[in-house]
């Protein structure tokens, strides 16, 4: 006899925003039984509780394709468990952890370990990213295909660029045969001498700056190599006007190039340094850029040049972020402000529709990671986020589930909030509370 109990829920009158099917429906009723969506008129549904979804949005499969979970090796900053809890709290149903852990995720065994960790925790789907080069040292390619066979969805040396053009060319050519994307953290290290954006504010504070060109020269190189190889290139955390020009050029040439921005680059400029001054909470790589660049990034998302919004969730221990601007590590803890940050930057000012913003948090990352999902249709896994678009809330890092509380969004008012998260038919967060009792065995 099976010990599994049938579970289900009805959601009434919800606005379904489904970028996988291009459907934005007002006041829909839907049902979920045993982990999958069912038809709203399924007679079985009547046995299950109903939830009033009026005034809420239902968005399937939000994936944050750029997070740092610090495990193995730096568990004082974050663990897989705390990172997964932060994801559920932020309304995220899938994550792609970057491989810059200690040791680096550069073998099939480590990829399997990540997938198993994600399944055991059961809060969020985990799509590992393997290193491009062995130990991310930039000297020799890692075992890309064997990692791919075990479930790596893309490859990156994030935290560092793939400096050698020859290796980048090989990685793009090779990964295209699986096929998988190579995600580059574009940064010409000989130009990137600073801790913040090169400009008037850096000068006023006497902090060394890094120009946008440090990123853009490598984005242009990568675009040329994507054209040469036919490979799939994804540019992480784009933060420069000239990078946008390169990406636009690549798209006009039909190169397989996609790009990503973070909410912090959309919400803040280097003017944040005037407020936070020498507090390294603003220290992030790439740095917060000028107001003009921020504007250009917003318009590039609107124009469709940017395919993905991802957090670059980079938690650090408070003791590390309490060091001087020079000594503190780069990074912002972003998983719990990803959804609200994207809405605040783009939907609240009327720049973009909810559908187009949600596309960059759902179907966009799915495409880059080679994932398929049919949308909210009977039989599809019930992975969803309920969003209250009217909720205005103040970012208080003390409320984060992440161990990392480092964010310059602290104190800011965001508009829109994830109020519930469901993965495979089970609530992982409701009303701001993560529910991880008895979860496990995601498939
Ligand atoms: O600010 C950052 N922090 N940028 C990166 O590229 C790496 C990340 C980290 O791992 O802390």
């Amino acid at each position: 006899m099976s010990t599994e109990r049938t579970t289900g829920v009805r959601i009434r009158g919800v606005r379904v925003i489904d970028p996988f099917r291009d459907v934005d429906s007002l006041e829909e009723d839907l049902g979920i039984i045993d982990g999958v969506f069912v038809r709203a008129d399924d007679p079985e549904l009547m046995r299950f509780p109903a939830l009033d979804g009026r005034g809420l949005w239902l968005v399937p499969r939000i994936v944050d394709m750029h997070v740092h979970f610090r495990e193995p090796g730096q568990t004082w900053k974050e663990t897989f468990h705390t990172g997964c809890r932060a994801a559920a709290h932020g309304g995220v149903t899938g994550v792609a952890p970057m491989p810059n852990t200690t040791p680096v995720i550069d073998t099939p065994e480590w990829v399997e370990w990540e997938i198993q960790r994600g399944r055991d925790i059961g809060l969020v789907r985990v799509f590992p990213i393997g290193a491009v080069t062995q130990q991310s040292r930039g000297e020799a390619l890692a075992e890309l295909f064997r990692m791919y066979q075990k479930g790596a969805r893309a490859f990156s040396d994030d935290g560092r660029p793939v400096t050698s053009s020859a290796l980048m060319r090989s990685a793009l050519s090779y990964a295209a045969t699986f096929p998988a994307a190579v995600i580059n953290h574009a940064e010409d290290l000989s130009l990137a001498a600073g801790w913040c954006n090169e400009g008037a504010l850096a000068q006023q504070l006497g902090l060394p700056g890094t120009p946008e060109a440090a990123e853009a020269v490598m984005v242009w190189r990568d675009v040329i190599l994507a054209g040469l190889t036919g490979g799939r290139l994804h540019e992480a955390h784009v933060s420069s006007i000239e990078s946008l020009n390169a990406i636009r050029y690549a798209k006009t040439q039909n190169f397989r190039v996609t790009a990503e921005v973070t909410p912090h680059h959309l919400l803040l400029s280097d003017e944040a340094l005037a407020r936070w001054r020498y507090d390294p909470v603003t220290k992030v790589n790439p740095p917060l850029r000028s107001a003009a660049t921020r504007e250009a990034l917003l318009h590039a998302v609107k124009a469709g040049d940017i395919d993905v919004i991802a957090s670059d969730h980079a938690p650090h221990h408070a003791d590390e972020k309490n060091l001087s601007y020079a000594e503190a590590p780069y990074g912002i803890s972003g998983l719990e402000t990803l959804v609200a940050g994207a809405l605040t930057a783009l939907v609240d000012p009327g720049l973009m529709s909810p559908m187009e913003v949600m596309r960059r948090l759902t179907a966009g990352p799915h495409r880059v990671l080679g994932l398929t999902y049919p949308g909210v249709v009977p039989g599809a896994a019930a992975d969803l986020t309920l969003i209250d678009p009217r909720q205005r809330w103040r970012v208080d890092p003390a409320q984060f589930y992440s161990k990392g509380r480092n964010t310059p969004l602290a104190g800011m008012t965001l508009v829109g909030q994830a109020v519930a998260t469901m993965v495979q038919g089970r609530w992982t967060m409701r009303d701001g509370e993560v529910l991880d009792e008895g979860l496990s065995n995601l498939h």
Side-chain angles (χ1 to χ4, degrees):
M1 199 176 76
S2 166
T3 50
E4 288 271 315
R5 271 181 51 229
T6 306
T7 56
V9 66
R10 290 176 284 154
I11 304 179
R12 286 218 202 101
V14 76
R15 174 173 173 186
V16 176
I17 300 175
D18 181 356
F20 295 93
R21 293 179 306 144
D22 251 320
V23 165
D24 186 343
S25 68
L26 296 176
E27 305 248 325
E28 196 173 329
D29 294 342
L30 49 83
I32 293 145
I33 298 180
D34 282 346
V36 297
F37 291 108
V38 296
R39 292 172 56 101
D41 58 4
D42 189 315
E44 284 282 302
L45 266 177
M46 283 314 165
R47 298 198 282 133
F48 297 111
L51 185 151
D52 185 2
R54 278 173 302 175
L56 300 179
W57 300 348
L58 184 152
V59 180
R61 281 272 185 146
I62 293 181
V63 171
D64 186 347
M65 65 162 285
H66 192 145
V67 303
H68 297 272
F69 277 179
R70 310 304 191 199
E71 193 179 351
Q74 293 184 308
T75 50
W76 64 92
K77 293 175 191 268
E78 191 79 294
T79 66
F80 241 78
H81 189 220
T82 56
C84 288
R85 295 183 96 207
H89 189 220
V92 170
T93 62
V95 289
M98 283 294 178
N100 64 335
T101 47
T102 318
V104 167
I105 306 299
D106 64 354
T107 64
E109 290 78 15
W110 275 119
V111 169
E112 280 187 299
W113 178 86
E114 283 199 352
I115 290 174
Q116 196 53 51
R117 269 316 272 140
R119 284 188 182 147
D120 290 345
I121 293 164
L123 279 169
V124 55
R125 294 183 196 276
V126 172
F127 305 114
I129 296 178
V132 180
T133 66
Q134 292 169 28
Q135 295 167 56
S136 285
R137 285 207 182 128
E139 289 160 7
L141 282 191
E143 300 177 276
L144 305 189
F145 187 59
R146 288 188 59 222
M147 285 193 277
Y148 178 78
Q149 284 178 310
K150 293 295 179 193
R153 307 305 319 187
F155 301 95
S156 183
D157 281 351
D158 185 65
R160 316 178 185 183
V162 177
T163 300
S164 156
S165 303
L167 267 181
M168 188 65 181
R169 176 187 183 179
S170 301
L172 284 165
S173 300
Y174 184 33
T177 63
F178 311 162
V182 178
I183 303 173
N184 200 23
H185 163 122
E187 185 180 17
D188 181 319
L189 298 175
S190 67
L191 282 169
W195 309 321
C196 57
N197 186 41
E198 185 175 286
L201 273 147
Q203 215 165 21
Q204 263 172 37
L205 292 168
L207 296 173
T210 287
E212 290 191 10
E215 174 182 296
V217 293
M218 195 172 278
V219 174
W220 271 112
R221 177 207 72 169
D222 289 348
V223 163
I224 291 164
L225 294 176
L228 177 66
T229 59
R232 292 170 54 167
L233 169 72
H234 179 74
E235 288 293 347
H237 45 51
V238 167
S239 72
S240 115
I241 290 176
E242 196 55 45
S243 303
L244 294 174
N245 287 336
I247 289 155
R248 267 184 219 116
Y249 168 76
K251 293 195 174 201
T252 60
Q253 299 299 304
N254 291 322
F255 296 169
R256 295 195 177 109
V257 173
T258 52
E260 150 200 314
V261 288
T262 71
H264 50 267
H265 289 107
L266 296 176
L267 287 166
L268 298 174
S269 69
D270 59 0
E271 284 160 15
L273 271 80
R275 171 181 169 208
W276 293 98
R277 296 183 61 78
Y278 298 102
D279 185 334
V281 74
T282 58
K283 186 173 175 184
V284 64
N285 192 15
L288 300 173
R289 298 295 192 184
S290 68
T293 299
R294 179 175 92 90
E295 222 24 59
L297 292 171
L298 287 165
H299 282 95
V301 185
K302 181 179 162 75
D305 303 326
I306 299 291
D307 309 86
V308 170
I309 302 174
S311 71
D312 194 5
H313 175 70
H316 293 290
H317 194 277
D319 290 350
E320 297 165 305
K321 272 298 209 184
N322 278 339
L323 296 171
S324 69
Y325 212 96
E327 294 164 301
Y330 295 93
I332 288 173
S333 186
L335 253 169
E336 287 157 274
T337 50
L338 168 73
V339 173
L343 291 173
T344 306
L346 294 158
V347 177
D348 189 49
L351 259 181
M352 285 174 70
S353 66
M355 169 72 84
E356 286 311 313
V357 173
M358 290 303 142
R359 192 186 306 287
R360 283 152 185 85
L361 292 167
T362 57
H366 275 69
R367 188 159 68 90
V368 178
L369 297 174
L371 303 168
T372 53
Y373 184 72
V376 183
V377 293
D383 294 3
L384 62 91
T385 308
L386 295 178
I387 293 170
D388 179 350
R390 290 155 315 187
Q391 205 177 112
R392 300 177 74 85
W393 59 286
R394 219 166 143 266
V395 178
D396 174 9
Q399 309 291 320
F400 284 2
Y401 278 80
S402 170
K403 286 192 185 186
R405 309 245 152 129
N406 40 294
T407 174
L409 302 182
M412 237 178 117
T413 297
L414 301 183
V415 186
Q417 174 67 304
V419 294
T421 318
M422 177 180 274
V423 178
Q424 209 173 277
R426 297 180 302 194
W427 295 112
T428 55
M429 183 273 280
R430 283 192 79 172
D431 298 326
E433 194 188 334
V434 171
L435 308 169
D436 50 0
E437 289 274 303
L439 290 184
S440 71
N441 297 325
L442 277 179
H443 54 76

